[in-house]
Amino acid sequence: MSNTKQFDALVVGAGVGGLYALFRLREKLGLNVQVLEAGDGVGGTWYWNRYPGCRCDVESLEYSFSFDPELEQEWSWPERYGNQPEILQYVNHVADRFDLRRNIQFETRVNNATFDRKTNLWTLKTEAGETFQAPVCIMATGNLSIPRVPDFPGLDDFQGDTYHTGLWPHEGVDFTGKRVAVIGTGSSGVQSIPIIAEQGETLTVFQRTANYILPAANGPMNREIEAKHKAEYRERRAAAYDTPFGIAGFPPPTQSALDVTPEERTAKYEQKWAEGGSISFLYSYTDLLLSDEANATAREFVHNKIRSIVKDQNVAETLCPNDHPMGTKRLVLDTGYYETYNKQHVHLVNARKNPIAGLTQKGIRLEDGTEYEFDAIVFATGFDAMTGALKEIDVRTTDGRSLTKDWEAGPYTMLGLMSAGFPNMFMITGPGSPGVKSQMILSCEQHVDWIVDCLDYMRREGQAAIEPTDESQHDWTMHVKDVADATLYPKAASWYMGANIPGKPRVFMPYVGGVQRYKAKCEEIAANGYEGFTFTAAKKPELALAGDD
Ligand code: NAP
């Protein structure tokens, strides 16, 4: 007897995308859904990333689900930006409120996914050897879910404690009295460094690339702002879809940075710096991400800020980013980051000039032979972004396609939603979509709504399977590239480009044409009977999707 468990739809991942997919597939289509989640709780990113200082850089009133007006009215965020424990609490609340846990199997890591063209079924195999089958497979596997530690020689020799920010121990870590190293100065490093500095006897930061870091200006929630926001929630959610980043409330810029006087520019940047937040700053002028000359004005402003905050001017110069236009790597929001370098026990090592050669039993050795001793090393070294999680699952079809092979030169997708050759496998915020360049919850909701409408259409039309054509996928992938090439984004060696993983193809992966354009394209395609996709008709009485209708 087969032990394979049968469902109408399988969802991999119980982060915000997976939870919303479960909710919609179950409540709107009446499907029998099974979510498979590697962790022992919901939350995805917010479940795994528990490092000190972990916080969302999108304001909490925006960074939340929009699908239930009562949910958004009843939840109250304590601060302007939600921290990790609060966001995880919120996601757990959503899981309980909508009774989602009964369809989630935790501690279940999917290793294999194979589509059979004869039966139109996906078979998912787990690490523990279980098998699940369904006509539909939704990969809600996240964009930043495969933590990466660089392949340093001697990695296993180090006798102290090691941590990765993306796999932080649930019980927390106390660095009191410890000599601590942090490697990496992206968002995770920048958020954790000020907190670790409060505990550690010494803190040494190894910085390879200096990033552009803006103040978050976090603080307790202003209850008047919250009340106003809540009163306007419906309009604000709709307005967010009409913006490039999926975040409402920022009037779009109207002027070039080069059309104003230096004094006007500085005044504008000062105002944005005081306000806090990255979108607000990028919205100073129309061309900050399009013209290097315009961008240089913002760069100079931030450099001067760093020089004014950090007392040791050698340290300040090392902290001044100089190898990429501002905003082309993810802008980082901080609370007290630059000030941390004014503390006597905090040291900065320029790992660009003098790279890390490897780990030793006692610490870290640089290429020039300098050795440092530590009790603990924190790897804030990022993720195999956007494609890593799908690569970890061996995705194949019985007619010989392999997703890893098809994506050898970079991801090929239609809208970041599907990949040709892999019918009925949907990605939530996959490469080629605005996902990581947008308010993620909004993009997850938009993707899930599109997928659910598509499945509903298929059921009505008696279709068993859908996949994009090679031609439409090629056109979309080229469009994603062309749009990025018209901006400054490809000038940075970022994880958007796969540049942080040795050997990964350098392809700019997110769609940066804006959420508003992207959503309109998705809707146009659906309105035209899923133009650019092909269907396989269901062989009656086998109907692709069961459920209550
Ligand atoms: P990241 O931005 O990829 O940063 C990794 C850091 O590790 C970089 O500074 C990188 O330097 C450094 N690094 C990697 N290999 C190294 C090596 N061999 N030697 C020295 N340094 C090395 O990763 P992250 O900080 O975890 O952030 C990833 C993304 O997650 C963010 O961009 C953001 O989208 C998201 N995130 C968001 C938040 C938030 O909402 N606030 C918080 C955390 C993360 P190079 O730059 O030179 O490669």
Side-chain angles (χ1 to χ4, degrees):
M1 209 178 86
S2 163
N3 283 328
T4 303
K5 296 175 187 128
Q6 308 282 345
F7 294 91
D8 297 327
L10 295 168
V11 177
V12 185
V16 294
L19 290 181
Y20 184 58
L22 163 59
F23 174 73
R24 273 282 181 251
L25 292 168
R26 200 177 74 183
E27 305 304 321
K28 185 165 176 191
L29 298 183
L31 298 188
N32 183 16
V33 186
Q34 179 67 60
V35 179
L36 304 172
E37 164 59 50
D40 69 2
V42 298
T45 272
W46 303 106
Y47 170 90
W48 297 103
N49 288 267
R50 296 171 189 239
Y51 60 84
C54 182
R55 190 179 285 286
C56 187
D57 56 7
V58 175
E59 292 187 46
S60 45
L61 286 164
E62 293 280 324
Y63 190 82
S64 52
F65 285 109
S66 73
F67 68 87
D68 187 284
E70 278 178 26
L71 170 69
E72 65 192 4
Q73 291 301 326
E74 75 196 11
W75 190 264
S76 195
W77 295 97
E79 291 178 285
R80 180 177 174 187
Y81 302 89
N83 68 23
Q84 178 270 333
E86 287 155 13
I87 299 171
L88 188 59
Q89 199 187 345
Y90 169 74
V91 181
N92 272 286
H93 169 74
V94 172
D96 292 333
R97 195 186 190 286
F98 298 97
D99 189 20
L100 300 178
R101 289 180 210 278
R102 67 183 155 95
N103 299 110
I104 307 171
Q105 182 170 315
F106 294 105
E107 297 183 86
T108 303
R109 188 174 287 281
V110 174
N111 280 346
N112 274 261
T114 306
F115 183 75
D116 187 333
R117 282 215 178 252
K118 290 206 188 93
T119 58
N120 287 324
L121 286 175
W122 278 98
T123 302
L124 270 53
K125 290 201 173 118
T126 72
E127 202 170 54
E130 284 182 285
T131 309
F132 297 81
Q133 234 170 31
V136 174
C137 172
I138 297 185
M139 294 296 191
T141 42
N143 283 286
L144 295 156
S145 45
I146 304 296
R148 179 188 168 266
V149 172
D151 200 9
F152 292 126
L155 206 51
D156 296 331
D157 296 344
F158 180 61
Q159 309 269 295
D161 300 323
T162 56
Y163 307 95
H164 190 288
T165 49
L167 282 175
W168 205 258
H170 288 201
E171 62 280 11
V173 181
D174 182 4
F175 292 109
T176 306
K178 301 250 167 88
R179 298 162 302 166
V180 188
V182 174
I183 304 176
T185 52
S187 302
S188 306
V190 167
Q191 288 186 338
S192 57
I193 283 164
I195 317 272
I196 295 175
E198 283 169 17
Q199 297 176 356
E201 184 183 299
T202 63
L203 170 63
T204 308
V205 177
F206 294 80
Q207 172 197 276
R208 187 166 65 183
T209 305
N211 269 321
Y212 287 95
I213 300 162
L214 300 169
N218 188 35
M221 176 63 72
N222 176 324
R223 295 298 163 198
E224 269 174 40
I225 291 179
E226 183 191 30
K228 185 167 183 311
H229 203 112
K230 284 189 169 180
E232 296 168 353
Y233 243 140
R234 295 297 84 213
E235 300 82 42
R236 279 178 172 265
R237 300 291 197 186
Y241 274 121
D242 204 22
T243 66
F245 301 107
I247 299 173
F250 300 103
T254 52
Q255 271 181 310
S256 158
L258 307 174
D259 283 347
V260 296
T261 65
E263 292 73 24
E264 283 173 297
R265 256 193 326 255
T266 305
K268 171 72 73 75
Y269 291 146
E270 283 289 0
Q271 175 214 328
K272 301 285 188 174
W273 182 273
E275 263 173 36
S278 53
I279 305 290
S280 162
F281 200 97
L282 287 174
Y283 268 25
S284 299
Y285 296 105
T286 52
D287 46 0
L288 290 186
L289 289 170
L290 301 174
S291 147
D292 197 44
E293 205 184 340
N295 192 280
T297 65
R299 300 204 287 267
E300 189 192 0
F301 174 82
V302 177
H303 289 175
N304 287 335
K305 280 287 178 198
I306 297 170
R307 291 175 189 128
S308 72
I309 300 170
V310 179
K311 291 189 182 131
D312 181 328
Q313 288 306 293
N314 288 328
V315 175
E317 284 316 307
T318 306
L319 288 167
C320 285
N322 58 16
D323 70 348
H324 62 281
M326 182 172 167
T328 54
K329 285 187 134 189
R330 170 83 169 210
L331 284 175
V332 179
L333 296 191
D334 83 308
T335 302
Y337 176 69
Y338 290 122
E339 290 82 350
T340 301
Y341 292 96
N342 292 334
K343 295 184 171 173
Q344 289 296 315
H345 70 296
V346 178
H347 312 287
L348 181 66
V349 173
N350 187 337
R352 164 83 60 210
K353 262 195 186 155
N354 194 2
I356 296 172
L359 268 59
T360 64
Q361 282 195 356
K362 292 191 168 169
I364 292 174
R365 185 168 31 81
L366 301 183
E367 277 190 0
D368 74 350
T370 311
E371 293 202 17
Y372 296 84
E373 291 187 7
F374 298 110
D375 303 306
I377 299 177
V378 174
F379 294 102
T381 44
F383 301 85
D384 185 353
M386 305 193 71
T387 54
L390 281 173
K391 215 171 64 194
E392 293 268 302
I393 299 171
D394 188 12
V395 181
R396 293 178 181 271
T397 63
T398 49
D399 59 350
R401 301 283 288 250
S402 145
L403 193 74
T404 304
K405 198 155 188 317
D406 281 12
W407 287 13
E408 240 166 24
Y412 268 92
T413 76
M414 178 61 174
L415 301 169
L417 272 161
M418 297 196 86
S419 193
F422 300 89
N424 289 3
M425 186 188 85
F426 298 91
M427 293 168 278
I428 299 185
T429 67
S433 79
V436 294
K437 293 299 304 165
S438 71
Q439 201 274 77
M440 276 305 268
I441 300 186
L442 167 136
S443 280
C444 287
E445 288 186 323
Q446 189 252 327
H447 265 193
V448 169
D449 289 344
W450 190 93
I451 294 165
V452 169
D453 287 348
C454 173
L455 294 175
D456 194 24
Y457 172 89
M458 286 169 64
R459 187 157 66 178
R460 282 186 275 112
E461 298 288 318
Q463 305 291 4
I466 180 172
E467 64 183 299
T469 65
D470 283 323
E471 192 191 5
S472 65
Q473 171 166 283
H474 175 80
D475 289 351
W476 179 256
T477 305
M478 289 305 111
H479 175 62
V480 169
K481 179 182 180 318
D482 291 345
V483 170
D485 284 347
T487 71
L488 299 174
Y489 280 109
K491 286 187 183 291
S494 64
W495 58 256
Y496 301 138
M497 293 284 289
N500 63 326
I501 305 291
K504 191 167 173 172
R506 297 259 177 139
V507 173
F508 191 85
M509 295 182 280
Y511 174 67
V512 287
V515 165
Q516 77 284 37
R517 285 195 196 95
Y518 175 81
K519 182 168 180 272
K521 186 73 188 165
C522 290
E523 286 168 356
E524 179 193 310
I525 285 169
N528 291 337
Y530 296 89
E531 194 178 7
F533 291 82
T534 55
F535 291 97
T536 309
K539 297 182 214 108
K540 304 240 162 131
E542 171 229 325
L543 197 59
L545 302 163
D548 304 335
D549 208 359

